Amino acid sequence: MATKTPSSKSTSRQDAAQTPPSRLIDARIEEVGGWRGQTLARIRELILQADPDVVEEWKWGVPVWSHDGIVCTGEVYKNAVKTTFAKGASLDDPKGLFNSSLDGNTRRAIDFQEGAKIDANAFKALFRAGVALNQSTRATAPARSRKPKSA
């Protein structure tokens, strides 16, 4: 009997919804294997080190890491592992990690190619900055007013 993986065509949305996101991420890392799986595993490890309170999710068929909102996603392509920061355009990037999706007004990404060295301290600092931005945005957002239900 074949084992289903998160991106296999036989995996239904219902199957994915019932599987814990951390297991889906584990399966994705194993499925892609090689340098891409190792890179995604390393990115995940750095994220978990940077923020022990991070929430791992599985959305749009990719790993998503959130804390008071989405911080980043981890996508795997043939020639790169891409980490897209949802509000990356608003983050300081003193080490110049962002190298992809630079033209937009909101997102920024880092494409890790085969053999790329990850600056662990810079990546963790960037992730923490994403969390801090989410928290500051959440703290300053006006509370949504609730209208009483009509009788």
Side-chain angles (χ1 to χ4, degrees):
M1 181 175 177
T3 302
K4 293 182 182 179
T5 58
S7 65
S8 70
K9 294 180 189 219
S10 61
T11 302
S12 71
R13 287 181 185 225
Q14 184 178 9
D15 290 342
Q18 293 176 355
T19 303
S22 62
R23 294 200 37 216
L24 292 170
I25 296 169
D26 290 341
R28 181 68 173 150
I29 290 167
E30 185 178 326
E31 174 191 14
V32 298
W35 71 267
R36 297 177 309 154
Q38 291 170 355
T39 301
L40 184 59
R42 179 66 175 143
I43 289 165
R44 181 189 199 191
E45 177 184 26
L46 294 174
I47 289 169
L48 295 172
Q49 288 173 5
D51 181 10
D53 295 325
V54 70
V55 176
E56 291 192 310
E57 300 177 276
W58 186 264
K59 296 182 180 187
W60 315 292
V62 299
V64 176
W65 291 279
S66 299
H67 188 144
D68 291 326
I70 294 173
V71 179
C72 69
T73 62
E75 305 133 71
V76 178
Y77 298 98
K78 182 177 180 180
N79 295 317
V81 175
K82 180 185 290 278
T83 304
T84 302
F85 283 74
K87 298 177 183 174
S90 298
L91 299 177
D92 287 332
D93 181 19
K95 297 290 187 176
L97 297 181
F98 290 131
N99 61 10
S100 181
S101 304
L102 302 175
D103 296 333
N105 293 330
T106 307
R107 292 184 297 272
R108 292 285 182 273
I110 305 167
D111 282 356
F112 296 99
Q113 310 292 328
E114 185 173 7
K117 301 291 182 199
I118 300 174
D119 183 334
N121 290 331
F123 185 85
K124 289 191 285 187
L126 194 59
F127 189 85
R128 287 184 193 116
V131 171
L133 179 60
N134 282 354
Q135 290 175 328
S136 69
T137 303
R138 184 173 181 212
T140 59
R144 294 182 184 179
S145 61
R146 296 181 185 235
K147 296 181 181 178
K149 292 183 180 178
S150 303

